[in-house]
Amino acid sequence: MHDAGQVLPPGSTIGILGGGQLGRMIALAAAQLGYPCHVFCPGRDEPATQVAAGSTLAPYEDELALERFAEAVDVVTLEFENVPVATTEFLAERVPVRPGSHVLYTCQNRLREKDFLASINVPTARYMEASGPDALARALRDFGTPVILKSAEFGYDGKGQVRLSQATEARTAWEEMRRHAPDSPAIIESFVDFHAEISVIVARGLDGAIATYPAVENKHRNHILEQTIAPARLPHDVMERAEIIARHVAEGLDLVGLLGVEMFVTVDSQVLVNELAPRPHNSGHWTLDACLTSQFEQLVRAVTGLPLGSIERHANAVMRNLLGDDVERWRELAADPAARLHLYGKREARPGRKMGHVTRLQPLD
Ligand code: AMP
């Protein structure tokens, strides 16, 4: 499982699976270090293809296109964790894939992810597999109320999630989850009474070196990240515990690349892991403007085998996503000297769609 690959010199091409804004910001960071990127994604005119040196527009199942892509790149990474594992396995026979398929396999399914976390003694909410409405009624009895039913696969931004408190709601909750995810296995979790939602971005290099950014605080609206406050306003021991957990998870996964670890801090100061994202994370965008090495550059360094960069931060930051129509404020934001504006080049501002973000820097405490 361990990737003992070679360092790739600048000029080597990084392949990126996925064409969204995360891929765009990876490609920009790579270009700064002299690495061209080649994006593979199914869509046309995606944020990443606009800035990449090359692109292949094809379905993830197209083996001929994948074969050509593998010939054109020196390493493959991803900006989207729902790429089929069969795709990364096919590529891994031809070119290094970082992070490896085993990381994707674990993180694509909430049950596998939580089983993995349990196996390395990382605390999470209580959970069990949900096989149907009867299992839901059982969880309500055993876990206490409320509980959350989630599809185990392909859920994001709260899609396929239902909260329920009574056994009489079990059937409707099940049907609602099924409408979003007809074929996915499902998980039931106890509802965490959290004081804060935080995340830690951890990078792990080819040599096993680890760098973690400080825990940040995340505020959501309609399950979509709205604001990140960096660093989180939490006691030192909680911040430290969150970083220790993130390191432990990165090591447990034998990660080469970047991982966003989403966590809850409970009212009694426990730190529970909610979800893992094996790629740059929206809550790490502040690092572009406030740290010596951004999360995107850190990923480029990890997958090419360069030493990880300094995570030193020269400012605190508040990052706000521009969702849907928020982007229409671009003129005002561009004129605001305190706002660092990032736009993703998306042409259509659908409600809730991540169109860009704004970071405001503040003096260090
Ligand atoms: P997720 O897709 O797992 O990141 O969940 C989306 C959001 O739903 C989280 O950011 C939380 O605000 C909330 N949530 C998810 N799981 C739980 C839980 N077990 N207890 C409390 N809130 C949760």
Side-chain angles (χ1 to χ4, degrees):
M1 198 205 268
H2 182 68
D3 181 345
Q6 300 296 309
V7 175
L8 299 171
S12 311
T13 302
I14 302 174
I16 303 174
L17 297 171
Q21 65 270 13
L22 301 176
R24 177 185 180 97
M25 291 184 271
I26 296 169
L28 292 172
Q32 199 177 336
L33 283 173
Y35 293 97
C37 287
H38 185 122
V39 170
F40 189 111
C41 64
R44 209 164 272 285
D45 191 28
E46 295 282 333
T49 60
Q50 293 169 4
V51 304
S55 53
T56 300
L57 308 182
Y60 292 120
E61 293 77 16
D62 183 340
E63 292 196 348
L64 194 61
L66 288 170
E67 187 91 54
R68 293 213 184 106
F69 172 67
E71 278 165 20
V73 303
D74 299 292
V75 63
V76 171
T77 191
L78 47 103
E79 62 105 50
F80 168 65
E81 67 268 36
N82 285 324
V83 172
V85 169
T87 299
T88 55
E89 282 176 342
F90 181 88
L91 290 169
E93 286 168 15
R94 293 156 178 84
V95 64
V97 177
R98 299 172 183 153
S101 303
H102 65 282
V103 176
L104 268 195
Y105 179 76
T106 303
C107 299
Q108 277 179 356
N109 177 298
R110 292 182 193 272
L111 281 161
R112 279 201 293 271
E113 193 169 83
K114 289 220 162 52
D115 286 346
F116 160 72
L117 291 166
S119 77
I120 61 165
N121 300 315
V122 169
T124 65
R126 267 186 87 176
Y127 70 98
M128 62 183 262
E129 184 169 1
S131 46
D134 293 345
L136 267 180
R138 211 165 39 245
L140 282 164
R141 216 173 37 239
D142 296 350
F143 292 3
T145 58
V147 297
I148 299 193
L149 171 68
K150 300 179 180 179
S151 62
E153 292 175 358
F154 296 108
Y156 65 95
D157 291 344
K159 293 193 172 59
Q161 289 192 24
V162 195
R163 179 172 156 176
L164 68 160
S165 297
Q166 292 177 21
T168 49
E169 298 166 306
R171 188 156 298 277
T172 4
W174 182 260
E175 282 162 10
E176 189 177 334
M177 184 276 296
R178 272 283 168 258
R179 252 202 313 282
H180 287 282
D183 303 317
S184 166
I187 184 171
I188 311 169
E189 296 176 10
S190 63
F191 184 81
V192 178
D193 187 12
F194 58 80
H195 161 69
E197 288 192 79
I198 62 169
S199 53
V200 172
I201 312 286
V202 51
R204 187 162 177 272
L206 201 51
D207 58 358
I210 290 189
T212 50
Y213 293 93
V216 298
E217 215 172 311
N218 298 320
K219 310 275 184 202
H220 296 87
R221 185 176 25 141
N222 300 329
H223 292 283
I224 301 174
L225 182 69
E226 183 171 50
Q227 191 187 47
T228 293
I229 300 166
R233 298 157 302 177
L234 291 168
H236 179 72
D237 68 304
V238 176
M239 300 289 282
E240 198 168 68
R241 233 172 320 130
E243 283 193 46
I244 290 169
I245 289 174
R247 281 170 180 267
H248 184 56
V249 174
E251 274 172 350
L253 283 171
D254 198 17
L255 176 83
V256 176
L258 205 68
L259 182 74
V261 184
E262 298 177 16
M263 309 179 218
F264 299 120
V265 180
T266 65
V267 284
D268 55 352
S269 293
Q270 288 181 67
V271 179
L272 306 178
V273 172
N274 176 38
E275 221 182 352
L276 307 175
R279 50 165 172 77
H281 193 264
N282 195 168
S283 70
H285 291 0
W286 67 280
T287 60
L288 281 166
D289 297 305
C291 295
L292 288 187
T293 312
S294 74
Q295 63 165 347
F296 301 101
E297 178 176 336
Q298 211 66 281
L299 173 64
V300 170
R301 286 171 171 266
V303 304
T304 55
L306 294 187
L308 296 181
S310 163
I311 49 101
E312 190 178 324
R313 86 177 180 279
H314 47 77
N316 291 342
V318 175
M319 188 280 317
R320 201 171 255 285
N321 272 335
L322 297 174
L323 302 172
D325 288 347
D326 292 350
V327 73
E328 284 169 18
R329 293 175 51 222
W330 65 267
R331 208 180 286 274
E332 165 207 338
L333 292 165
D336 179 349
R340 301 282 308 142
L341 178 62
H342 300 254
L343 297 174
Y344 305 151
K346 297 182 184 176
R347 305 207 192 275
E348 202 193 335
R350 292 190 292 271
R353 191 172 194 210
K354 291 173 181 166
M355 304 298 291
H357 70 268
V358 182
T359 304
R360 291 171 193 276
L361 301 182
Q362 293 163 352
L364 292 174
D365 303 324

